[in-house]
Amino acid sequence: MKAIISHDIDLLTVWEHKNDLAIPKLIVRSSIELAIGSIYSTEYLLRFKELVENKLHNLEELMEFDKEKKVPSTFFIGVNKGLGLSYSLTDAEYWIKRIMEKGFDVGVHGIEFNDLKAIKTEYESFKQMSGLSAFGIRMHYLRNSKNTLEFLNKAGYIFDSSLYK
């Protein structure tokens, strides 16, 4: 059996969510979890520290852990916005290159799943940013339709890690 470790990158900064409810939901959910005892006060404070530091991820730490433990991982970065995936293309490009510098595989965290033209646009955006000619995709929220796999193949993706059984 071969294990495939994938990291979907949904959040990068606090500021990318200034126009949605992600941050208020994080605050309310964390407060409820603290009140009912499902998290400790140290976890609660760490979550607020991330907000203050404008960092909603631990990508550097995760890459260091995976490298140290020899975990073969693929990181999936969005190159389109939707469904709470809101970071800028500049941030996406930075992290695509940073992940590649660290020696990990990187692919598209796809938003489009039911429109061949839009799927091709995501593919081409990622290809241009990464300089890669072969890469895969993992759909945001694992969305798909009866045509998704055919469209992904036509766009040029070499694999899709969205489907599960």
Side-chain angles (χ1 to χ4, degrees):
M1 177 174 81
K2 182 176 182 178
I4 299 169
I5 307 299
S6 69
H7 302 293
D8 299 350
I9 301 168
D10 293 339
L11 307 168
L12 289 174
T13 70
V14 172
W15 297 117
E16 71 204 35
H17 295 284
K18 65 183 180 288
N19 296 322
D20 64 31
L21 295 175
I23 303 308
K25 284 170 42 178
L26 173 68
I27 293 168
V28 169
R29 184 179 68 246
S30 297
S31 298
I32 291 170
E33 289 173 342
L34 178 65
I36 64 173
S38 63
I39 63 171
Y40 293 109
S41 58
T42 51
E43 172 67 20
Y44 186 77
L45 293 173
L46 284 173
R47 290 180 186 182
F48 281 91
K49 179 181 178 224
E50 291 173 347
L51 292 177
V52 170
E53 292 176 349
N54 193 28
K55 181 182 168 201
L56 295 179
H57 64 85
N58 294 308
L59 290 171
E60 291 289 349
E61 297 87 348
L62 181 57
M63 288 187 287
E64 286 304 314
F65 177 86
D66 285 359
K67 186 170 283 224
E68 178 186 318
K69 302 296 183 189
K70 296 180 175 48
V71 177
S73 302
T74 302
F75 291 77
F76 293 93
I77 305 273
V79 292
N80 195 0
K81 294 182 181 185
L83 295 172
L85 200 59
S86 305
Y87 45 85
S88 72
L89 291 179
T90 302
D91 287 344
E93 186 170 6
Y94 170 82
W95 282 104
I96 289 167
K97 290 177 179 173
R98 182 73 179 141
I99 291 163
M100 291 169 56
E101 285 171 7
K102 290 287 192 170
F104 291 98
D105 291 330
V106 65
V108 175
H109 194 33
I111 293 291
E112 302 297 340
F113 69 99
N114 205 23
D115 178 336
L116 179 57
K117 184 178 177 185
I119 288 170
K120 284 182 176 181
T121 298
E122 285 182 341
Y123 177 90
E124 290 300 326
S125 292
F126 184 87
K127 183 178 178 180
Q128 185 272 322
M129 283 184 223
S130 68
L132 297 172
S133 59
F135 49 89
I137 188 167
R138 182 165 173 87
M139 288 296 170
H140 190 48
Y141 291 123
L142 307 177
R143 298 182 321 153
N144 65 71
S145 71
K146 65 181 178 126
N147 298 315
T148 301
L149 291 176
E150 175 189 347
F151 290 166
L152 296 175
N153 186 50
K154 286 181 178 178
Y157 289 101
I158 61 169
F159 70 88
D160 171 34
S161 70
S162 305
L163 300 179
Y164 58 93
K165 296 225 179 223

